[in-house]
Amino acid sequence: MKNVKTQSSDELATKLGKLMEDQLKDIYWAEKALTKAIPKMIKNATSTELQEALENHLAETEEHVQRAEKIFETLGKKATAKKCVAMEGIIKEAQELMDEADEGVMCDAAIIAAAQKVEHYEIATYGTLVAFSQTLGLNEVTSLLESTLEEEKNADATLSEVAESAINIEAAGEPQE
Ligand SMILES: [Fe+2]
Ligand SMILES: [Fe+2]
């Protein structure tokens, strides 16, 4: 870590802006990757409730990509994606979980586990971005980021509800007649 004692507040703001831009490039890559990963989850899901939740969030995710582009534009920067190694790993793990799970209720449970990790990563990133943006007084950017953050939180809450209602072990375990 560098010595910051001699830095002026202008210099710090510039550095925070740079860090913010970096985080934005990271989540822009992640959102684009998710537009390809979520359809695979939908294909493997069996519960209609889970499929619907994922389809709704796929549509929102496509909007998140566009919203990220709007944020770059508002900041006067070119929209650039920087590979998010963390999201790449979460998506890879999701694929492994789906490959290993039995079909049906267990695969749905695996999808929900993976999808909630995705949402929590996004919530953490957008939460940080909102804080940086507020600190820098970027009101328009803050409100765009807050819209996405809200949708990520709602997606996470919906997945929790689906987990409670669709992953019904007793019903799934009943002997078939
Ligand atoms: Fe998103
Ligand atoms: Fe999301």
Side-chain angles (χ1 to χ4, degrees):
M1 230 166 278
K2 292 175 194 159
N3 188 343
V4 294
K5 273 182 198 152
T6 53
Q7 293 186 346
S8 69
S9 58
D10 274 2
E11 281 171 325
L12 286 175
T14 305
K15 287 189 176 172
L16 188 59
K18 186 81 202 61
L19 185 57
M20 184 181 159
E21 201 191 321
D22 205 61
Q23 292 291 303
L24 201 56
K25 288 177 180 174
D26 172 284
I27 200 70
Y28 182 48
W29 187 94
E31 295 283 15
K32 291 217 272 193
L34 288 168
T35 62
K36 297 190 189 94
I38 298 173
K40 290 180 193 157
M41 293 181 179
I42 297 171
K43 218 177 115 204
N44 285 312
T46 38
S47 130
T48 4
E49 221 185 321
L50 178 56
Q51 282 172 338
E52 275 170 24
L54 292 169
E55 264 158 26
N56 286 339
H57 198 53
L58 174 61
E60 285 175 339
T61 300
E62 279 157 3
E63 270 179 54
H64 297 171
V65 170
Q66 289 175 5
R67 208 174 276 143
E69 287 164 0
K70 171 95 180 123
I71 292 168
F72 278 112
E73 196 192 315
T74 309
L75 292 169
K77 307 276 181 193
K78 187 171 165 277
T80 317
K82 184 180 151 198
K83 189 179 193 177
C84 171
V85 181
M87 187 59 83
E88 187 186 40
I90 295 173
I91 291 172
K92 199 165 162 248
E93 272 189 16
Q95 189 59 53
E96 284 172 9
L97 281 173
M98 289 189 290
D99 290 345
E100 286 162 16
D102 294 338
E103 273 177 32
V105 76
M106 285 317 297
C107 190
D108 284 355
I111 291 169
I112 292 173
Q116 285 197 293
K117 287 188 190 182
V118 167
E119 294 318 312
H120 281 253
Y121 182 86
E122 289 184 296
I123 290 166
T125 306
Y126 283 109
T128 303
L129 280 167
V130 165
F132 285 178
S133 170
Q134 277 171 339
T135 304
L136 293 167
L138 303 165
N139 298 341
E140 196 185 340
V141 171
T142 302
S143 97
L144 289 164
L145 289 166
E146 279 172 342
S147 307
T148 299
L149 177 60
E150 202 52 37
E151 287 170 1
E152 308 295 14
K153 286 182 182 170
N154 289 340
D156 180 52
T158 304
L159 286 167
S160 292
E161 280 167 28
V162 173
E164 278 171 34
S165 62
I167 313 298
N168 188 329
I169 302 239
E170 274 174 42
E174 267 165 23
Q176 312 240 323
E177 306 208 6

